[in-house]
Amino acid sequence: MSDVKPDPIDSLTRHAPFSGLPHVLRSALAPKLARVVLEQGVVLFEKGAPLAGLYVVETGGLDIETGHADLVSHRGPGDIMGERGLLRDGNALLTARAAEPSELVVVPREAFLDLMEQSDEIARWFARARPTAQGDDGPYATGLTALQVSDLMTATPITCTPDATVKDVARLMRDNVISSVVVMEGARLAGIITVRDLANKVLAEGLGGDIRVAQVMTPDPVTIEPGRLGLDALMLLSELKVNHLPVAQGGRVLGMIGKTDLFRQQAATASHMVADIASADTAEDMAHVMERVPMLLVQLVQAGVRPQSITRRITDITDAITRRLLRLAEQPLGPAPVPYLWAACGSQGRREQTGVSDQDNCLIIDDSVLPEHDAYFAALAKYVSDGLNTCGFFYCPGDMMATNPRWRQPRRVWRSYFARWIAQPDTEAQMLASVMFDLRAIAGENALFDDLQAEVLASARKNSIFVAHMVSNSLKHTVPLGLLRGFALIRSGEHKNTIDLKHSGVVPVVDLGRIYALLGSLEVAGTRERITGARAGAVISESGARDLLDAYDLIAETRLRHQAARIRAGRSPDNFMAPADLSDLERNHLRDAFMVVKTMQSAIAQSRGAPG
């Protein structure tokens, strides 16, 4: 067997997207490539350091780490590294360390950026939003095929007249932190002038700042309509070999879109956000990552991704923030004096978060904890809860957070809580048990919760009085159906003539799922998983489960579509939707879904004898 290694270009073009390079681009790229050989443990690049180029693993493997050596992922032969940093500011977002002896092909930074300009295929590949590890939605997570130009463009672009001087335009670009200006002659689009024009047509030619824009602009530029896809814009930019396109419709300029807008969309996926969070050093850094979540929600809704996959991805981001905050808290506080578990309840516990969420969490601490240790855990809870609030997860109005000493207790106290709630199911006990049955371990010692959860479920199921009270409590959330199958709307206040798609929509189904989990001793926390488990365990019928799942999906989808519509309109997402915004067909389907939920509520009330 020959030990002669293939030329770097031959090795590179074995892997997508380089395998389809045209001969002319392949020949031009070949002499620019280099090969890097690493021994085990050697760092290829460090977080924050300038990247020499794009790296493609040839042999071996590398660990991708945060700045604190926390393992994020592993890259093997054929995997690509460095593209996100190169397409941002040229600096590495994470650290790459050889996990074993490794060899890599390096595409120098300038050569990579040139390829992005010269090849549509390369540009499309690196601009696409890749699917997350969860779910099976595949290409539905591709941002540039899900979003329209109107979602990505910069609205109300900065303009000038053809008679303006290039000095005036340079100041406009500086003051507005932009790289292109639209040239308007009255209401007519006359041209476009960019930073590249100033460099190549003015400075490089030794011209002064007083020459007119009309002399150096690109006249009558190609435009793109706002309804076209982001991918269409990227392809057109690549074909024209330009970096900016005016967005126009009916002769009216509506905005500007550039490659930067499209490349930025690459970062708007859950997997990219989680990686960015894993390397964040402050809550403020994570808050900036969270700013992308509304666009992620819009992207996934428009792509037709199932509601459970959308809420799972959003919750994954919250989980990542929580874990990172716990890790950051240990820097000033030191390691925990005894094992603990940070758990989430509510929508995070069920993995059902949307664009509007508060925080519900608690600490379960090992029974070896001493009174003097509480100061540590109080500081830990404050650090994490404050950080979550900074990231947009506002403090729980009911103070159900680990910052409250009541919800920061040893395991034995938690056992006593549940035992008391089950034995004496008064109104508060029902409410607290409902919330706490949605607990899910986020970080720490999972064993502190696993046995406790199984024990509580078994004990609760045996107490018929407690079960009856839980059923009664769950029926307090009613669906918004009035007489003659009309909608029961909110009659006054800020949300008059709307329905609450959370408390009157998804929450009644969440409550049913919780009851089914209790009756079937199901340890899963997600509503859909609980209904599916109840069907498998014969807690509910096959037809009942199928109808309820369909109803839940429709209500959840309607809620997410409403939130996405508000985001696209530049407003904050909420849960209050006017049925008048729906078509007749959509209203009929939503009414049918609410009727299914109402029927299932009646069935559980009759079969379990809920007290009045």
Side-chain angles (χ1 to χ4, degrees), residues 38-39 41-46 65 95-98:
L38 301 176
E39 296 298 324
V42 174
V43 172
L44 175 65
F45 52 75
E46 290 188 348
E65 306 169 344
T95 296
R97 186 188 309 273

Side-chain angles (χ1 to χ4, degrees), residues 283 325 359 381-391 393 395 403:
L325 287 169
Q359 54 174 294
K382 185 177 189 307
Y383 187 101
V384 176
S385 289
D386 287 351
L388 287 170
N389 185 66
T390 297
C391 293
F393 302 99
Y395 299 116
T403 49

Side-chain angles (χ1 to χ4, degrees), residues 18-31:
F18 304 103
S19 54
L21 276 181
H23 178 74
V24 63
L25 293 182
R26 175 187 168 117
S27 298
L29 181 62

Side-chain angles (χ1 to χ4, degrees), residues 264-583:
R264 188 183 297 120
Q265 180 59 34
Q266 179 190 18
T269 65
S271 56
H272 284 106
M273 291 184 207
V274 168
D276 288 344
I277 289 164
S279 62
D281 292 322
T282 66
E284 288 73 19
D285 291 342
M286 289 180 260
H288 289 311
V289 177
M290 280 296 297
E291 291 172 0
R292 302 180 223 156
V293 168
M295 184 55 70
L296 172 67
L297 190 149
V298 170
Q299 168 191 330
L300 295 176
V301 168
Q302 290 185 191
V305 177
R306 294 188 301 274
Q308 66 268 26
S309 294
I310 297 175
T311 58
R312 171 62 184 265
R313 293 176 190 188
I314 294 174
T315 307
D316 285 343
I317 296 168
T318 311
D319 290 355
I321 289 174
T322 306
R323 295 186 185 107
R324 185 62 184 151
L325 287 169
L326 286 165
R327 193 63 181 265
L328 290 174
E330 291 182 358
Q331 294 178 17
L333 298 177
V338 297
Y340 72 89
L341 176 76
W342 185 280
C345 43
S347 59
Q348 184 184 1
R350 298 189 304 274
R351 289 192 173 99
E352 292 169 3
Q353 289 187 306
T354 66
V356 189
S357 293
D358 62 355
Q359 54 174 294
D360 299 283
N361 46 62
C362 65
L363 271 170
I364 303 174
I365 308 170
D366 189 85
D367 284 340
S368 62
V369 66
L370 300 175
E372 56 265 31
H373 293 156
D374 185 61
Y376 175 94
F377 288 109
L380 179 76
K382 185 177 189 307
Y383 187 101
V384 176
S385 289
D386 287 351
L388 287 170
N389 185 66
T390 297
C391 293
F393 302 99
F394 52 89
Y395 299 116
C396 174
D399 201 21
M400 190 160 287
M401 301 180 294
T403 49
N404 183 341
R406 187 180 188 185
W407 310 127
R408 184 179 70 245
Q409 292 291 336
R411 184 178 183 275
R412 62 178 180 274
V413 175
W414 281 101
R415 291 184 69 220
S416 69
Y417 282 169
F418 280 107
R420 185 168 68 251
W421 295 337
I422 292 168
Q424 301 173 344
D426 58 21
T427 302
E428 184 189 42
Q430 295 169 41
M431 183 273 292
L432 293 175
S434 295
V435 174
M436 292 302 171
F437 278 162
D438 293 347
L439 279 180
R440 180 170 61 86
I442 302 298
E445 186 59 58
N446 286 357
L448 290 171
F449 178 62
D450 291 341
D451 294 343
L452 178 64
Q453 183 185 37
E455 175 186 323
V456 168
L457 282 172
S459 175
R461 186 186 184 192
K462 294 176 183 176
N463 190 319
S464 59
I465 296 176
F466 174 77
V467 171
H469 276 278
M470 284 289 290
V471 170
S472 177
N473 187 59
S474 73
L475 299 178
K476 292 176 181 178
H477 291 114
T478 59
V479 293
L481 288 177
L483 297 175
L484 303 177
R485 296 184 74 245
F487 288 114
L489 305 180
I490 297 173
R491 295 185 176 182
S492 61
E494 178 185 359
H495 304 297
K496 183 179 178 181
N497 294 329
T498 67
I499 55 178
D500 184 344
L501 288 171
K502 177 182 178 181
H503 292 101
S504 298
V506 298
V507 168
V509 188
V510 168
D511 288 339
L512 285 172
R514 194 179 294 119
I515 297 300
Y516 298 150
L518 176 60
L519 296 175
S521 294
L522 304 172
E523 297 183 14
V524 291
T527 299
R528 233 182 169 279
E529 291 84 352
R530 284 170 166 172
I531 297 171
T532 302
R535 175 176 58 189
V539 175
I540 54 177
S541 68
E542 176 72 30
S543 61
R546 183 175 60 251
D547 289 347
L548 187 57
L549 287 171
D550 287 345
Y552 179 56
D553 286 347
L554 179 64
I555 296 167
E557 180 183 342
T558 302
R559 181 191 184 195
L560 289 169
R561 287 169 61 88
H562 166 73
Q563 292 185 3
R566 287 186 61 88
I567 293 168
R568 291 187 65 188
R571 295 182 289 176
S572 298
D574 68 15
N575 295 302
F576 300 95
M577 185 200 70
D581 293 340
L582 301 177
S583 68

